[in-house]
Protein backbone atom coordinates (compact mmCIF):
# COMPACT_ATOMS: atom_id res chain seq x y z
CA UNK A 1 0.00 0.00 0.00
CA UNK A 2 1.38 3.33 -1.14
CA UNK A 3 0.63 5.13 2.15
CA UNK A 4 3.06 2.90 3.99
CA UNK A 5 5.84 3.87 1.60
CA UNK A 6 5.53 7.61 2.15
CA UNK A 7 8.56 9.03 3.93
CA UNK A 8 7.96 9.00 7.69
CA UNK A 9 8.71 12.70 7.98
CA UNK A 10 6.29 13.52 5.18
CA UNK A 11 6.83 15.42 1.95
CA UNK A 12 7.20 18.72 3.82
CA UNK A 13 10.43 17.57 5.51
CA UNK A 14 11.73 15.01 3.04
CA UNK A 15 11.50 17.39 0.08
CA UNK A 16 12.10 20.77 1.74
CA UNK A 17 12.36 22.84 -1.45
CA UNK A 18 11.96 22.78 -5.22
CA UNK A 19 15.60 21.72 -5.65
CA UNK A 20 15.08 18.62 -3.55
CA UNK A 21 12.03 17.77 -5.66
CA UNK A 22 14.01 18.25 -8.88
CA UNK A 23 16.76 15.94 -7.62
CA UNK A 24 14.16 13.31 -6.79
CA UNK A 25 12.56 13.69 -10.21
CA UNK A 26 15.92 13.18 -11.94
CA UNK A 27 16.62 10.19 -9.72
CA UNK A 28 13.34 8.49 -10.64
CA UNK A 29 13.22 9.50 -14.30
CA UNK A 30 16.86 9.08 -15.30
CA UNK A 31 18.38 7.15 -12.40
CA UNK A 32 20.34 10.36 -11.83
CA UNK A 33 21.91 10.27 -15.29
CA UNK A 34 20.06 12.72 -17.53
CA UNK A 35 20.41 12.03 -21.22
CA UNK A 36 19.76 14.36 -24.15
CA UNK A 37 16.32 13.85 -25.64
CA UNK A 38 17.63 14.88 -29.06
CA UNK A 39 20.89 12.94 -29.43
CA UNK A 40 20.82 10.62 -26.37
CA UNK A 41 24.22 11.85 -25.19
CA UNK A 42 24.88 11.50 -21.48
CA UNK A 43 27.31 14.40 -21.47
CA UNK A 44 24.92 16.86 -19.87
CA UNK A 45 25.55 20.11 -18.04
CA UNK A 46 23.21 22.16 -15.89
CA UNK A 47 22.49 25.86 -16.45
CA UNK A 48 21.64 27.07 -12.97
CA UNK A 49 20.51 30.55 -14.06
CA UNK A 50 17.98 29.10 -16.52
CA UNK A 51 17.25 25.97 -14.50
CA UNK A 52 17.78 23.88 -17.61
CA UNK A 53 19.96 20.97 -18.66
CA UNK A 54 22.23 21.55 -21.64
CA UNK A 55 23.58 18.79 -23.86
CA UNK A 56 27.32 19.28 -24.33
CA UNK A 57 27.26 17.23 -27.54
CA UNK A 58 24.50 18.98 -29.53
CA UNK A 59 23.74 22.08 -27.43
CA UNK A 60 20.08 21.23 -26.90
CA UNK A 61 18.57 22.67 -23.73
CA UNK A 62 15.78 20.93 -21.87
CA UNK A 63 13.99 21.17 -18.55
CA UNK A 64 14.15 18.57 -15.81
CA UNK A 65 10.52 17.67 -16.46
CA UNK A 66 10.89 16.85 -20.11
CA UNK A 67 9.82 13.32 -20.96
CA UNK A 68 8.11 12.92 -17.59
CA UNK A 69 4.34 12.92 -17.05
CA UNK A 70 4.75 16.32 -15.34
CA UNK A 71 6.06 17.99 -18.47
CA UNK A 72 3.92 20.98 -19.41
CA UNK A 73 2.17 21.20 -16.05
CA UNK A 74 2.89 24.64 -14.67
CA UNK A 75 2.66 23.73 -11.03
CA UNK A 76 5.66 23.56 -8.71
CA UNK A 77 6.98 20.04 -8.23
CA UNK A 78 6.63 20.45 -4.50
CA UNK A 79 2.96 21.25 -4.91
CA UNK A 80 2.59 18.08 -6.99
CA UNK A 81 4.31 16.07 -4.27
CA UNK A 82 2.12 17.56 -1.53
CA UNK A 83 -0.99 17.01 -3.61
CA UNK A 84 -0.14 13.36 -4.18
CA UNK A 85 0.66 12.84 -0.50
CA UNK A 86 -2.75 14.23 0.52
CA UNK A 87 -4.51 11.93 -1.93
CA UNK A 88 -2.54 8.87 -0.83
CA UNK A 89 -3.22 9.47 2.87
CA UNK A 90 -6.89 10.32 2.43
CA UNK A 91 -7.38 7.25 0.25
CA UNK A 92 -5.70 5.07 2.88
CA UNK A 93 -8.16 6.36 5.45
CA UNK A 94 -11.26 6.09 3.35
CA UNK A 95 -11.32 5.28 -0.35
CA UNK A 96 -14.86 6.59 -0.74
CA UNK A 97 -14.15 9.97 0.83
CA UNK A 98 -10.78 10.64 -0.64
CA UNK A 99 -11.83 12.46 -3.76
CA UNK A 100 -14.09 15.03 -2.20
CA UNK A 101 -11.85 17.46 -0.37
CA UNK A 102 -11.74 20.03 -3.17
CA UNK A 103 -12.08 23.18 -1.08
CA UNK A 104 -9.48 22.15 1.48
CA UNK A 105 -7.12 21.17 -1.34
CA UNK A 106 -7.50 24.60 -2.92
CA UNK A 107 -6.66 26.31 0.37
CA UNK A 108 -3.79 24.00 1.32
CA UNK A 109 -2.14 23.92 -2.08
CA UNK A 110 -3.07 27.49 -3.10
CA UNK A 111 -4.33 26.34 -6.48
CA UNK A 112 -7.34 27.41 -8.48
CA UNK A 113 -10.43 25.24 -8.64
CA UNK A 114 -9.76 24.35 -12.27
CA UNK A 115 -6.18 23.31 -11.51
CA UNK A 116 -7.23 21.18 -8.55
CA UNK A 117 -9.85 19.37 -10.62
CA UNK A 118 -7.49 18.73 -13.52
CA UNK A 119 -4.47 17.68 -11.46
CA UNK A 120 -6.49 15.59 -9.09
CA UNK A 121 -7.91 13.63 -11.99
CA UNK A 122 -4.42 12.91 -13.25
CA UNK A 123 -3.09 11.98 -9.79
CA UNK A 124 -6.02 9.70 -9.02
CA UNK A 125 -5.28 7.76 -12.18
CA UNK A 126 -1.52 7.62 -11.93
CA UNK A 127 -1.41 6.72 -8.25
CA UNK A 128 -3.54 3.67 -9.05
CA UNK A 129 -0.92 2.37 -11.45
CA UNK A 130 1.35 -0.43 -10.26
CA UNK A 131 3.98 1.05 -7.97
CA UNK A 132 2.07 4.36 -7.79
CA UNK A 133 2.98 5.60 -11.26
CA UNK A 134 5.61 8.26 -11.77
CA UNK A 135 4.52 10.62 -8.99
CA UNK A 136 4.01 7.75 -6.57
CA UNK A 137 7.54 6.54 -7.22
CA UNK A 138 8.85 10.06 -6.62
CA UNK A 139 7.34 10.52 -3.20
CA UNK A 140 7.18 6.94 -1.91
CA UNK A 141 10.83 5.86 -1.75
CA UNK A 142 10.49 3.55 1.24
CA UNK A 143 10.23 -0.18 0.78
CA UNK A 144 7.75 -2.06 2.91
CA UNK A 145 8.64 -5.59 3.91
CA UNK A 146 5.68 -7.90 4.34
CA UNK A 147 5.75 -9.97 7.53
CA UNK A 148 6.76 -13.59 7.02
CA UNK A 149 3.89 -15.83 6.00
CA UNK A 150 1.79 -13.13 4.32
CA UNK A 151 1.40 -13.55 0.58
CA UNK A 152 1.07 -10.40 -1.55
CA UNK A 153 -2.45 -9.73 -2.86
CA UNK A 154 -4.21 -11.96 -0.32
CA UNK A 155 -6.85 -10.96 2.22
CA UNK A 156 -4.22 -11.38 4.92
CA UNK A 157 -2.07 -8.87 3.08
CA UNK A 158 -4.97 -6.42 2.89
CA UNK A 159 -5.79 -6.78 6.59
CA UNK A 160 -2.17 -6.38 7.57
CA UNK A 161 -1.87 -3.23 5.43
CA UNK A 162 -5.03 -1.73 6.95
CA UNK A 163 -3.69 -2.29 10.43
CA UNK A 164 -0.28 -0.91 9.49
CA UNK A 165 -1.86 2.27 8.09
CA UNK A 166 -3.85 2.79 11.28
CA UNK A 167 -0.73 2.19 13.30
CA UNK A 168 1.30 4.60 11.27
CA UNK A 169 -1.09 7.50 10.92
CA UNK A 170 -3.33 7.24 13.98
CA UNK A 171 -1.38 5.55 16.76
CA UNK A 172 2.05 6.98 16.14
CA UNK A 173 2.57 9.93 18.49
CA UNK A 174 3.13 13.18 16.62
CA UNK A 175 6.71 14.33 16.29
CA UNK A 176 7.45 17.16 18.65
CA UNK A 177 9.97 19.90 18.03
CA UNK A 178 13.23 19.14 19.94
CA UNK A 179 12.71 21.67 22.76
CA UNK A 180 9.22 20.42 23.60
CA UNK A 181 10.32 16.80 23.31
CA UNK A 182 13.06 17.37 25.89
CA UNK A 183 10.75 18.98 28.45
CA UNK A 184 7.87 16.52 28.11
CA UNK A 185 7.49 14.02 30.97
CA UNK A 186 8.15 10.36 30.22
ZN1 LIG B 1 22.22 16.26 -27.47
Amino acid sequence: MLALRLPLEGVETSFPDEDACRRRLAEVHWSNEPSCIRCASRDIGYLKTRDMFRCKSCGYQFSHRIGTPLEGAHVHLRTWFHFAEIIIISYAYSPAESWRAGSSLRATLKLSHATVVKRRRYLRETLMEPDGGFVGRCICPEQVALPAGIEPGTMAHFSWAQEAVIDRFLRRPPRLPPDRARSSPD
Side-chain angles (χ1 to χ4, degrees):
M1 190 178 278
L2 222 44
L4 296 176
R5 292 176 42 202
L6 284 168
L8 273 180
E9 301 77 16
V11 162
E12 181 67 22
T13 304
S14 300
F15 304 103
D17 50 33
E18 199 64 8
D19 259 350
C21 297
R22 273 189 212 107
R23 282 196 296 276
R24 181 61 187 155
L25 190 98
E27 208 171 85
V28 171
H29 184 52
W30 284 301
S31 307
N32 270 337
E33 277 191 86
S35 58
C36 177
I37 60 154
R38 182 186 274 173
C39 74
S41 165
R42 290 203 177 268
D43 194 8
I44 303 294
Y46 177 63
L47 304 170
K48 197 169 173 57
T49 48
R50 298 201 59 212
D51 184 25
M52 299 278 273
F53 291 115
R54 182 181 178 279
C55 174
K56 292 179 183 173
S57 303
C58 75
Y60 190 66
Q61 295 181 15
F62 53 98
S63 89
H64 51 278
R65 296 191 196 199
I66 208 153
T68 76
L70 304 187
E71 181 183 349
H74 302 293
V75 172
H76 284 138
L77 289 178
R78 202 153 177 266
T79 305
W80 273 112
F81 286 15
H82 272 300
F83 202 159
E85 181 184 44
I86 291 170
I87 290 182
I88 290 169
I89 292 175
S90 59
Y91 187 80
Y93 274 124
S94 166
E97 294 294 319
S98 64
W99 315 128
R100 292 186 187 170
S103 56
S104 66
L105 280 172
R106 284 200 295 280
T108 307
L109 301 168
K110 299 184 174 60
L111 296 173
S112 71
H113 174 70
T115 306
V116 164
V117 170
K118 189 172 165 192
R119 303 306 172 207
R120 185 170 54 181
R121 188 183 306 134
Y122 165 70
L123 284 171
R124 282 164 61 173
E125 286 171 10
T126 191
L127 292 170
M128 289 294 173
E129 290 168 31
D131 211 23
F134 184 73
V135 182
R137 290 201 301 281
C138 283
I139 68 166
C140 296
E142 302 203 350
Q143 294 302 317
V144 179
L146 276 182
I150 293 189
E151 294 294 322
T154 59
M155 202 58 207
H157 180 193
F158 180 75
S159 304
W160 171 83
Q162 288 275 306
E163 188 63 21
V165 164
I166 290 169
D167 195 48
R168 173 158 176 180
F169 293 103
L170 295 181
R171 296 202 189 115
R172 182 184 291 273
R175 283 165 179 263
L176 297 174
D179 56 332
R180 283 187 62 200
R182 270 200 300 278
S183 62
S184 65
D186 285 322

